[in-house]
Amino acid sequence: MHSNKSGKAFGLLKAQQREKLEEINKEFMEDQKYRDEEDLPEKLDSLKNKYAEFDLNDQGEIDMMGLKRMMEKLGVPKTHLEMKKMISEVTGGCSDTINYRDFVKMMLGKRSAVLKLVMMFEDKANGASCKAGGPPPKRDITSLP
């Protein structure tokens, strides 16, 4: 489907994006606000990988399309309106894309956000299925409190 050339460019873009995420992680590591956060390096590393799983736009941000694809991938498709709301929850309504700083602040912050719940649910689901060794228990995201 892709010619190799665009694939290479895409790989390069991904690598550059990851580098940028690394830089931002360093900022968070030095941020006084997060110095009491347990396992901060591990958390940031895991958030970086999570964020990179999204289809990021050329600016390296999660846009509506990237969010839509991720929600479908996780089996929780959202309407356009729900996704708009999810994005504005994270960005405070200032932007229709989520950048990595916003993403980390959301995940480490105390505020509740739909996207955060979905991401944490996915974590739990993944964690459970790895340890169990058997088929993961059937749990629907609708059973969330």
Side-chain angles (χ1 to χ4, degrees):
M1 198 164 97
H2 277 310
S3 72
N4 207 1
K5 216 165 104 197
S6 72
K8 266 214 180 77
F10 182 71
L12 189 69
L13 184 69
K14 275 280 187 217
Q16 284 171 336
Q17 283 174 348
R18 277 183 177 273
E19 230 159 85
K20 218 169 115 187
L21 302 183
E22 279 292 336
E23 290 296 309
I24 295 172
N25 275 354
K26 285 197 189 90
E27 286 172 28
F28 277 101
M29 297 281 289
E30 287 156 16
D31 191 336
Q32 294 300 314
K33 202 175 130 194
Y34 295 103
R35 54 152 204 239
D36 299 332
E37 184 76 42
E38 265 179 73
D39 308 324
L40 187 61
E42 287 84 0
K43 280 183 185 160
L44 287 170
D45 205 49
S46 139
L47 291 177
K48 181 187 71 180
N49 294 330
K50 259 193 195 338
Y51 187 84
E53 276 175 28
F54 283 88
D55 289 323
L56 304 174
N57 66 12
D58 296 342
Q59 283 72 52
E61 301 186 349
I62 301 171
D63 59 13
M64 197 66 114
M65 206 55 224
L67 186 60
K68 180 178 156 60
R69 287 201 194 104
M70 182 54 108
M71 293 301 111
E72 285 166 357
K73 201 165 100 184
L74 296 176
V76 284
K78 301 278 180 200
T79 66
H80 190 77
L81 209 63
E82 285 174 315
M83 288 188 299
K84 259 186 125 86
K85 211 177 121 195
M86 284 168 80
I87 291 175
S88 83
E89 266 184 342
V90 179
T91 62
C94 323
S95 166
D96 46 12
T97 58
I98 296 172
N99 67 31
Y100 184 57
R101 278 189 188 87
D102 291 333
F103 184 76
V104 173
K105 283 184 187 141
M106 163 192 76
M107 294 301 286
L108 296 178
K110 302 284 174 269
R111 277 207 355 255
S112 170
V114 176
L115 181 57
K116 182 172 169 178
L117 288 171
V118 172
M119 289 283 142
M120 288 165 91
F121 178 82
E122 185 213 6
D123 253 7
K124 283 200 187 76
N126 289 347
S129 57
C130 297
K131 284 190 204 71
K138 274 225 107 23
R139 270 191 65 203
D140 192 349
I141 197 140
T142 47
S143 67
L144 273 180

